[in-house]
Amino acid sequence: MTQMDRSSLLATGLHELQLTLPAAEQVRLLDYVELLAKWNQAYNLTAVRDPAEMVTRHLLDSLAIAPFLCGGRVLDVGSGAGLPGIPLALTFPERQFVLLDSNGKKTRFMVQAVATLGLRNVEIVQARVEDYRPAEPFATVVSRAFASLTDFLRLTGQLCAPDGCWLAMKGEAPETELQALPPGLTAQVRVLRVPGLDAQRCVVQINRN
């Protein structure tokens, strides 16, 4: 698939997600995919190899949670290659994002991507989540296939503001994990429709009571 085809795929997907993005930002999203595909050859950052598939499985999948972000400060835990943090940061320049991962190979890629894309609203932190001590908590703490809901909440409890929310991106609704949630929390399963993706996706939104 050519760059023009990928551009059309992205534009169609953004329209289906009801996201309006300037042409320049759409180009930067595709530049991110190009960079990821290039680094992936040497560093094995993602199992997805085809750039066109990356548009669907990485960009559009990440942006599907856009309606559920809370507030102005977002923490992406276990960000890996920068997902969903980098696509969201490109889409929402008014929000501040911290992308956290303990893997040096992955954080090096994210640092390069942020520099190449000229992202001024992103900070990359290499640390284990249990060791991370930010100056202030976050309005949204998001994870994409990071851990079970119980572990996610246990590891990030102090990182989420009292009136903030957690967003755990999942495939099928994790019924067993939902039943194990500690008291004092409310969870809502939001079914995601990722354009072009023939697979079940959801995000579990968790708030304190």
Side-chain angles (χ1 to χ4, degrees):
M1 185 178 279
T2 67
Q3 179 80 354
M4 189 175 292
D5 291 333
R6 291 196 288 275
S7 178
S8 176
L9 183 66
L10 175 62
T12 302
L14 290 171
H15 179 73
E16 288 185 35
L17 291 173
Q18 299 182 326
L19 288 172
T20 304
L21 213 57
E25 301 309 308
Q26 294 187 38
V27 169
R28 291 166 89 200
L29 282 169
L30 293 171
D31 287 345
Y32 166 68
V33 163
E34 291 286 318
L35 195 64
L36 179 55
K38 180 180 174 183
W39 274 61
N40 205 38
Q41 293 171 6
Y43 289 95
N44 199 30
L45 298 167
T46 167
V48 181
R49 299 288 173 188
D50 176 32
E53 212 176 328
M54 288 180 182
V55 171
T56 300
R57 290 184 171 273
H58 290 336
L59 296 185
L60 298 177
D61 185 71
S62 294
L63 295 175
I65 68 165
F68 310 114
L69 294 177
C70 317
R73 274 171 52 80
V74 180
L75 174 65
D76 179 5
V77 177
S79 189
L83 299 159
I86 287 178
L88 289 170
L90 281 163
T91 306
F92 298 103
E94 73 282 5
R95 287 182 156 116
Q96 295 298 313
F97 290 81
V98 173
L99 278 48
L100 179 72
D101 204 284
S102 62
N103 184 300
K105 178 176 65 175
K106 291 175 179 175
T107 53
R108 280 194 297 278
F109 167 74
M110 288 193 284
V111 167
Q112 181 63 51
V114 165
T116 301
L117 298 168
L119 280 169
R120 300 180 184 276
N121 60 332
V122 176
E123 178 188 355
I124 307 299
V125 176
Q126 183 183 347
R128 291 167 58 86
V129 62
E130 53 266 46
D131 299 329
Y132 179 49
R133 298 289 181 269
E136 57 181 304
F138 294 85
T140 300
V141 178
V142 62
S143 76
R144 187 176 187 248
F146 169 68
S148 69
L149 293 179
T150 304
D151 287 344
F152 178 41
L153 294 166
R154 176 178 57 81
L155 290 167
T156 61
Q158 78 284 2
L159 301 174
C160 187
D163 59 346
C165 73
W166 288 269
L167 296 176
M169 299 175 71
K170 299 282 187 178
E172 295 181 16
E175 299 297 344
T176 305
E177 293 179 25
L178 287 164
Q179 291 169 13
L181 284 181
L185 299 170
T186 301
Q188 291 178 288
V189 178
R190 313 279 197 177
V191 175
L192 302 176
R193 303 274 182 242
V194 180
L197 187 64
D198 185 22
Q200 285 186 288
R201 299 291 286 142
C202 73
V203 62
V204 182
Q205 182 176 349
I206 301 169
N207 297 82
R208 294 184 176 94
N209 292 344

